[in-house]
Amino acid sequence: MLGKIVELIRLTATELSPDILSALKAARSREASYGAAQSIYDRILANADLAKEESIPLCQDTGIPIFRVNLPEHESAQNVHNILKKAVKKATKLNYLRPNAVDTLTGKNSGNGVGIGIPQVEITRWNKDYSEIGLMLKGGGSENVGAQFSLPDEDINANRDLDGVKNCVIEAVYQAQGKACPPYFIGVGIGGDRAGSMKLAKEQFWRKLKHSHPQLRDLEEDLLVKLNQLGIGPMGVGGSTTVLSVKADYLARLPASYFVSVAFTCWAFRARFLTIRRGEYTYE
Amino acid sequence: MNEFTLPLAEETVRSLRVEDHVALSGTIITARDLAHKYLVSNDIPELTPWLKDAVIYHCGPIVKKVGSKYQIIAAGPTTSMREEPYMADLIRKYRLKGIIGKGGMGAGTLKAAQKYGCAYFQATGGVAAITAQVVREVKAVYMLEEFGVPEAIWVLRVEKFPLLVTMDVCGQSLHHIIKKRSESKRNKLLFG
């Protein structure tokens, strides 16, 4: 089991999934030949090839490992948690991960990739007979530009409605500029309390499909068009693609509150799944 | 693409302009948050000769130890803006000729860069595997114990590191230009 999790980490850190690769290739084709934007995509794609071939992390910032685990009733959660921690240590030793856990009080890097709250592990029980382990490696640069708004917000002309939500997302991407390695993937959480709203925003990155609610689907599609009008482009050098996808969802809220949270990931979107069914391991 | 060997001569730095594609070969020195903070008010005597007129690289690499030698596995740029509070002081202190990073820097750095002759080069973020290939040798490392691998100060020999000039000695910043352009679009989207 330990080896299988280390393999999940290796795969996530070193190979972009096919849908991300094709999104990047499509973005390349929308830029002028031989321009700065296109040359960035050329390096991104060459890097993806080399990283895969040599099993080298795509990016030196292997981020915070976020495990999202679904277990059948009979599996021990404690056992899984321990194995995930051990796997992070081993993957760090093997250089699939950078030692990325710093003690916030002492400033000391633990050196083994594990610290208080790192890796993040969320374990849920489900009534299926197999286990699923999702892993996302979320870089620090993109985490830093995440933003939260409390509506109404006069400075950005945002009232408590979906137009106001859109203005929050536009402002967050405008503020981020090229700092967090665009083109970005954007997650939006609407409503809830402060913590729930940001959690929801980050959870959007696990969702592949468009939202089933027509109002939210429209919001996602409209924002994608509007955000790309900002012209920030790959690595902020200017270009026609600043954002590759927008995913949004909502929670109920208190009458007094209306939060909008915006989460970012860089172009090096690294998420993979491992399914364990009757002793058989499948990676996706 | 223009190729240059380090150390950069002052007239070379002064000839570079925003949106120039260049390739740098020679010695560069990595520095991140802890190193910047430390170097502003401290000196590391053995490191000082390396830093004089140097090009520093905002990077926290993944490093493998092979016997007594170090090998760089992955080494893309980190966000430079975090070093803005220290950058102008370090440019002046060591007469830095260049900074490599991503995302650009602020007005203080731009002013110091103009005054002392220093350019900002953007490396493509996230492409750590191909960037590690341009690193040919780890010449030295400082503060490894104290700062840990990502934050340590690594002295690297690079060959043909491909970069884009995004801040120049004329006070131009591609980051400011793009921000200004996106600002008018943002205002239109937000306020109609």
Side-chain angles (χ1 to χ4, degrees), chain A residues 6 8-15 57-67 88 91 96-98 100 119 134-140 142-143 205-206 264-272:
Chain A
V6 173
L8 175 67
I9 297 172
R10 186 201 65 79
L11 187 67
T12 311
T14 64
E15 283 188 36
L58 288 148
C59 178
Q60 78 290 338
D61 183 6
T62 52
I64 178 159
I66 303 172
F67 288 99
V88 166
Y96 298 138
L97 297 178
R98 185 174 70 179
N100 248 5
L135 168 62
M136 187 182 301
L137 297 174
K138 191 171 182 309
S142 67
E143 190 65 15
F205 298 132
W206 297 101
F264 289 68
T265 80
C266 53
W267 65 257
F269 182 103
R270 287 154 288 173
R272 294 277 184 171

Side-chain angles (χ1 to χ4, degrees), chain B residues 50-108:
Chain B
W50 288 118
L51 279 173
K52 186 85 184 73
D53 296 314
V55 171
I56 65 157
Y57 182 21
H58 294 154
C59 168
I62 298 178
V63 185
K64 184 176 172 183
K65 196 165 186 187
V66 190
S68 61
K69 292 223 171 227
Y70 293 101
Q71 191 189 336
I72 301 294
I73 304 286
T78 191
T79 309
S80 297
M81 200 58 197
R82 292 195 311 270
E83 318 313 341
E84 183 62 19
Y86 317 108
M87 206 67 257
D89 284 344
L90 290 189
I91 291 172
R92 181 173 37 87
K93 185 173 174 183
Y94 295 108
R95 294 292 192 267
L96 299 176
K97 290 283 179 288
I99 299 151
I100 303 170
K102 73 175 170 83
M105 303 197 70

Side-chain angles (χ1 to χ4, degrees), chain A:
Chain A
M1 175 84 173
L2 179 66
K4 304 291 184 189
I5 306 292
V6 173
E7 171 58 14
L8 175 67
I9 297 172
R10 186 201 65 79
L11 187 67
T12 311
T14 64
E15 283 188 36
L16 284 179
S17 62
D19 52 333
I20 305 296
L21 260 181
S22 40
L24 290 165
K25 282 179 187 161
R28 180 190 182 278
S29 70
R30 291 192 289 269
E31 302 294 351
S33 300
Y34 309 110
Q38 200 173 69
S39 80
I40 287 169
Y41 286 113
D42 287 340
R43 287 185 62 72
I44 285 174
L45 296 169
N47 185 68
D49 284 346
L50 181 72
K52 181 178 176 178
E53 208 176 291
E54 308 259 324
S55 261
I56 300 169
L58 288 148
C59 178
Q60 78 290 338
D61 183 6
T62 52
I64 178 159
I66 303 172
F67 288 99
R68 197 191 203 213
V69 184
N70 285 305
L71 288 183
E73 294 297 337
H74 59 271
E75 290 280 352
S76 151
Q78 193 52 44
N79 190 28
V80 171
H81 201 136
N82 288 338
I83 290 175
L84 295 177
K85 263 191 181 173
K86 265 190 204 158
V88 166
K89 285 185 187 172
K90 188 154 186 209
T92 305
K93 214 170 176 179
L94 292 169
N95 295 308
Y96 298 138
L97 297 178
R98 185 174 70 179
N100 248 5
V102 176
D103 185 299
T104 304
L105 293 186
T106 65
K108 191 95 184 142
N109 190 314
S110 74
N112 64 14
V114 171
I116 299 174
I118 299 182
Q120 275 182 21
V121 180
E122 193 181 302
I123 297 177
T124 311
R125 299 283 172 189
W126 66 1
N127 52 12
K128 297 178 182 172
D129 63 347
Y130 62 94
S131 308
E132 182 189 77
I133 301 175
L135 168 62
M136 187 182 301
L137 297 174
K138 191 171 182 309
S142 67
E143 190 65 15
N144 284 348
V145 295
Q148 189 168 66
F149 300 83
S150 174
L151 301 190
D153 187 333
E154 225 174 275
D155 293 345
I156 56 167
N157 192 27
N159 294 318
R160 295 179 156 195
D161 53 33
L162 291 186
D163 282 335
V165 171
K166 287 180 192 172
N167 282 7
C168 296
V169 182
I170 291 164
E171 178 66 3
V173 174
Y174 162 74
Q175 290 295 345
Q177 291 288 314
K179 286 200 281 286
C181 293
Y184 300 125
F185 298 80
I186 303 292
V188 185
I190 309 165
D193 66 348
R194 285 191 182 273
S197 165
M198 183 53 89
K199 188 163 181 282
L200 185 69
K202 292 177 77 170
E203 275 170 6
Q204 300 313 301
F205 298 132
W206 297 101
R207 176 158 63 87
K208 297 243 178 206
L209 301 173
K210 286 179 180 169
H211 206 288
S212 54
H213 193 297
Q215 262 182 300
L216 288 178
R217 195 170 54 231
D218 287 352
L219 176 124
E220 292 174 354
E221 285 171 1
D222 188 41
L223 269 175
L224 186 62
V225 172
K226 289 195 162 118
L227 293 170
N228 283 327
Q229 289 172 2
L230 291 172
I232 295 165
M235 294 309 300
V237 303
S240 52
T241 307
T242 301
V243 167
L244 287 167
S245 113
V246 181
K247 298 273 162 64
D249 207 352
Y250 75 110
L251 292 168
R253 60 181 178 85
L254 293 180
S257 306
Y258 196 122
F259 295 112
V260 179
S261 299
V262 187
F264 289 68
T265 80
C266 53
W267 65 257
F269 182 103
R270 287 154 288 173
R272 294 277 184 171
F273 291 92
L274 167 62
T275 309
I276 308 165
R277 199 191 296 260
R278 287 187 285 283
E280 204 175 289
Y281 295 82
T282 317
Y283 296 94
E284 188 200 314

Side-chain angles (χ1 to χ4, degrees), chain B residues 14-25:
Chain B
R14 295 207 172 269
S15 74
L16 295 171
R17 292 293 176 271
V18 156
E19 293 194 276
D20 283 352
H21 287 268
V22 301
L24 299 185
S25 300

